[in-house]
Amino acid sequence: MSEHGPVSDQESIYDDTDEGKGVVRIAVVAALGGFLFGYDSAVINGAVSAVEDEFNAASAALGFAVASALLGAAAGAMIAGRIADRLGRLAVMKIAAVLFLLSAIVTGLAPNLSILVLGRIIGGVGVGMASVIAPAYIAEIAPARIRGRLASLQQLAIVTGIFISLLIDFLLARAAGGSGETLGAGLEAWRWMFLAMAVPAVIYGALAFSIPESPRFLIAAHRIADAKVILSKLLGPTRIDAKIEKIRLSMERETKPSWADLRTPAGKVATIVWVGLALSVFQQFVGINVIFYYSNILWEAVGFDEEQAFTITVISATINVLTTLIAIATVDKFGRKPLLIIGSIGMTVTLATMAYIFGTANVVDGSPVLEGAEGPIALVAANLFVVAFGMSWGPVVWVLLGEMFPNRMRAAALGLAAAAQWVANWLITVSFPSLRDISLSLAYGLYAAFALLSLLFVLKFIEETKGKQLEDMRG
């Protein structure tokens, strides 16, 4: 028996049946959107220096080019919920796959910085849509007792996509003798970094045709017979009619889904929506994506050469993958809130350490130079920061966003929260080059302050959702 009541018959069969294995396969396919999300987000890292040289970009223009995908992601997240409620969850996945493919081609063959930015925005829309639909879909098809583990597959896919993109960047740059050097077909290595995304985009789109529609969407669309068939395959035939009726009652409405669902009867935005927005903003304001978007030029700025910087970045991405596995193994055992608390403490300490190291380092030509033990300490702190984030705020925020909202508002609220996350990501990403020019210590000091505030926020506002049925969530 769980702390929230007895586990249903449908849930108890999960681990031992072919139907249960089917749930895992379906969740893995849905999470592939996260792989493209991670790949598209991080691929720019290895190309930043070459793009800067190729198009003679100033710091502000470079920052915008890197962050432009995030503007598209905010837009994609905003529209994903409405498309998912009108056309279905699978339609969003297929549209996202097409956008990823277009982005790979446009960015890889861009003749100037403006076209590169356009390609990044197209890919960003796909990223935003994938960031909404994967956690929503997985939450809607997963039994409550292992929902956290399956929802964490989204973050595992994201960090795997980040790792693969950075590894491909490293291998292509090494093969060409530099990211700006010609590698094949008359194209520079950095262009192949973008073009390589076409392969997983096609795979994701094809696999989206192999999984069933969300039964909760089907029930909302009054396609009860179709929903019954899918739920029977996913959870077994026991008490399916009762389960469908409970879902139907939680989603019953006289109007079509809209932004009005985010409000209370009194007309105010529901508290749970504000909590979701704050979770999304804090996840980005700790500066995690500075590590994955700018780590190469960051480490080069403090004295490492390009190959060393690539190696450090790949190591950080590997650590990110491994620590996400920790979250998958523990999120349904220890709960969401304890992991967030531990992560906030770890991030605060490690970011403050980096701020101190950069703040006390000798400055040469306007940049800090790490000497003696300063370099290893900064590297250890940066990677421990990745550990703290990877086992907590990285996956757990996506788990919570997929499950914390009531059925009637899930897609819309998740879309709004994801859009806020991308706007926050954009603010951090576009501001870093300028902050770097002022002081790396200032940048990491700000991120440390937000990590501390995230701890206070979790302690006061986050409620545990472990083991709760989606139909029991209240706005």
Side-chain angles (χ1 to χ4, degrees):
M1 181 176 293
S2 76
E3 61 185 275
H4 298 288
V7 175
S8 70
D9 292 338
Q10 293 98 318
E11 294 171 19
S12 65
I13 68 168
Y14 174 83
D15 292 318
D16 302 315
T17 67
D18 290 337
E19 290 86 352
K21 293 174 183 177
V23 173
V24 176
R25 185 190 69 81
I26 291 167
V28 168
V29 171
L32 284 178
F35 178 91
L36 283 156
F37 166 171
Y39 191 103
D40 186 83
S41 298
V43 68
I44 190 69
N45 192 324
V48 168
S49 294
V51 167
E52 185 176 22
D53 294 338
E54 176 86 9
F55 302 121
N56 195 27
S59 289
L62 182 66
F64 184 78
V66 173
S68 57
L70 307 178
L71 296 177
M78 288 290 286
I79 64 174
R82 293 182 68 83
I83 296 174
D85 281 334
R86 301 296 176 89
L87 302 180
R89 281 43 171 163
L90 297 185
V92 178
M93 295 183 195
K94 295 167 186 175
I95 293 170
V98 172
L99 292 172
F100 284 126
L101 179 60
L102 286 175
S103 175
I105 296 170
V106 173
T107 51
L109 301 179
N112 54 54
L113 191 61
S114 296
I115 299 299
L116 178 74
V117 169
L118 175 63
R120 294 282 291 158
I121 292 174
I122 292 171
V125 175
V127 166
M129 296 179 78
S131 71
V132 170
I133 204 59
Y137 178 86
I138 293 172
E140 290 179 351
I141 59 96
R145 63 191 288 262
I146 43 77
R147 190 174 57 235
R149 274 176 280 172
L150 292 185
S152 295
L153 291 175
Q154 157 85 343
Q155 181 66 11
L156 180 62
I158 292 170
V159 298
T160 302
I162 291 172
F163 168 75
I164 294 298
S165 71
L166 296 175
L167 180 61
I168 288 175
D169 285 0
F170 170 73
L171 294 175
L172 289 173
R174 190 171 188 179
S179 57
E181 301 300 321
T182 301
L183 181 60
L187 299 176
E188 297 88 348
W190 69 266
R191 294 184 181 277
W192 285 110
M193 294 173 188
F194 289 115
L195 289 169
M197 187 172 65
V199 176
V202 170
I203 293 173
Y204 175 53
L207 289 176
F209 286 91
S210 72
I211 58 178
E213 183 55 86
S214 161
R216 286 174 171 83
F217 165 75
L218 294 173
I219 292 171
H222 308 294
R223 295 166 56 185
I224 305 299
D226 292 337
K228 186 172 183 178
V229 170
I230 293 170
L231 281 171
S232 296
K233 290 180 179 179
L234 293 177
L235 304 174
T238 308
R239 297 177 58 192
I240 285 296
D241 289 335
K243 180 70 172 176
I244 288 176
E245 181 63 14
K246 187 174 183 180
I247 295 172
R248 188 189 66 78
L249 290 174
S250 73
M251 304 187 77
E252 194 167 54
R253 60 192 309 136
E254 295 179 356
T255 59
K256 292 183 178 180
S258 71
W259 293 114
D261 298 332
L262 306 182
R263 297 182 177 275
T264 65
K268 296 181 179 180
V269 176
T271 300
I272 194 69
V273 175
W274 289 114
V275 171
L277 288 171
L279 269 174
S280 292
V281 170
F282 276 123
Q283 190 201 49
Q284 296 304 314
F285 273 18
V286 297
I288 184 62
N289 283 312
V290 167
I291 297 292
F292 295 113
Y293 296 168
Y294 290 113
S295 58
N296 277 26
I297 60 173
L298 169 63
W299 295 120
E300 287 178 42
V302 296
F304 294 93
D305 63 33
E306 184 182 51
E307 184 166 341
Q308 289 173 327
F310 265 114
T311 302
I312 293 168
T313 298
V314 172
I315 290 172
S316 295
T318 304
I319 291 171
N320 200 19
V321 173
L322 295 176
T323 51
T324 301
L325 296 175
I326 296 174
I328 291 175
T330 59
V331 67
D332 284 317
K333 182 176 182 181
F334 298 127
R336 286 62 162 153
K337 188 169 183 175
L339 291 182
L340 290 178
I341 291 171
I342 294 170
S344 291
I345 294 171
M347 291 189 300
T348 302
V349 172
T350 51
L351 287 168
T353 300
M354 292 179 71
Y356 176 79
I357 290 294
F358 289 129
T360 57
N362 290 328
V363 178
V364 177
D365 295 329
S367 298
V369 176
L370 304 185
E371 300 174 338
E374 292 175 340
I377 292 174
L379 284 173
V380 170
N383 284 303
L384 287 178
F385 166 60
V386 173
V387 170
F389 181 88
M391 53 77 63
S392 61
W393 280 81
V396 173
V397 167
W398 289 113
V399 172
L400 283 171
L401 291 180
E403 67 187 8
M404 68 190 287
F405 302 116
N407 277 334
R408 65 180 174 81
M409 67 165 66
R410 178 170 299 109
L414 212 166
L416 185 62
Q421 183 174 133
W422 291 114
V423 171
N425 192 339
W426 181 82
L427 289 171
I428 292 296
T429 303
V430 78
S431 64
F432 179 74
S434 297
L435 282 174
R436 176 196 63 183
D437 291 344
I438 298 171
S439 168
L440 281 173
S441 180
L442 171 63
Y444 282 99
L446 287 173
Y447 305 150
F450 283 118
L452 180 59
L453 288 174
S454 75
L455 172 62
L456 302 178
F457 171 77
V458 170
L459 291 172
K460 183 170 178 61
F461 293 106
I462 297 301
E463 296 184 8
E464 185 58 66
T465 57
K466 182 184 74 171
K468 289 185 178 180
Q469 298 289 329
L470 293 186
E471 286 64 52
D472 295 329
M473 304 298 177
R474 297 288 181 264

